[in-house]
Amino acid sequence: MSSSLVTVHNQNENVYIQHRPNGERSWIGLNDRSVEGSFVWTNKEISSFRFWAPQQPNDWKNEDCVHTLGARHGYTWNDVPCHNCYNYTCFKGYIANSIERKSLVWEPKRKLISHQCCDQLTAVKTGHPLTSIT
């Protein structure tokens, strides 16, 4: 079963996913590599949810990939160059039970898997063995 960088559908998922790498910056599966300004999810899933930081996205120095800014920045997102190094969270498979996290309840559709630092293209194409942290 393959894995993909996470797609974010709502604010509950956004907050939950950003807690996975201890509130640090982390890749999500959003980018505008094909058409500047037209952000799409790497797995082709449809989600219109966006949570940009102020003045973002700004494409400063050709920024085509998106990372989360973490808890200290209000769980907002930023566009950055795809070759930067960040942690990332993928999803793989399906689980049915709810997860409670600091009084926030989210029912994930997929098992979340976290990885250490890499650029977004490597994260998308990862062939490394995956370790579940759910």
Side-chain angles (χ1 to χ4, degrees):
M1 190 180 302
S2 64
S3 64
S4 299
L5 283 172
V6 71
T7 299
V8 184
H9 298 95
N10 56 55
Q11 184 63 3
N12 287 348
E13 288 183 8
N14 185 41
V15 170
Y16 181 81
I17 288 162
Q18 292 196 48
H19 278 284
R20 302 304 275 187
N22 297 319
E24 297 298 320
R25 295 175 178 184
S26 180
W27 289 121
I28 56 175
L30 192 63
N31 70 74
D32 68 344
R33 289 191 303 255
S34 296
V35 178
E36 184 58 44
S38 180
F39 287 87
V40 297
W41 296 98
T42 57
N43 66 350
K44 310 295 187 239
E45 213 175 319
I46 303 298
S47 174
S48 60
F49 179 79
R50 305 291 187 267
F51 203 66
W52 298 109
Q55 287 89 47
Q56 298 299 328
N58 62 5
D59 195 38
W60 188 68
K61 294 189 177 182
N62 196 29
E63 299 173 321
D64 291 328
C65 293
V66 178
H67 74 154
T68 63
L69 290 173
R72 285 178 268 160
H73 297 278
Y75 305 101
T76 55
W77 305 350
N78 181 31
D79 61 331
V80 291
C82 298
H83 64 275
N84 286 3
C85 180
Y86 299 106
N87 294 323
Y88 60 103
T89 300
C90 295
F91 56 78
K92 177 179 180 178
Y94 290 88
I95 58 176
N97 52 343
S98 298
I99 296 173
E100 188 169 335
R101 183 88 166 179
K102 294 187 180 179
S103 74
L104 174 72
V105 177
W106 175 46
E107 293 184 20
K109 295 179 182 172
R110 297 175 178 98
K111 180 186 268 186
L112 293 176
I113 299 163
S114 290
H115 292 281
Q116 299 274 315
C117 181
C118 77
D119 62 80
Q120 195 189 50
L121 295 175
T122 301
V124 169
K125 297 176 182 177
T126 186
H128 301 147
L130 304 177
T131 304
S132 172
I133 61 166
T134 57

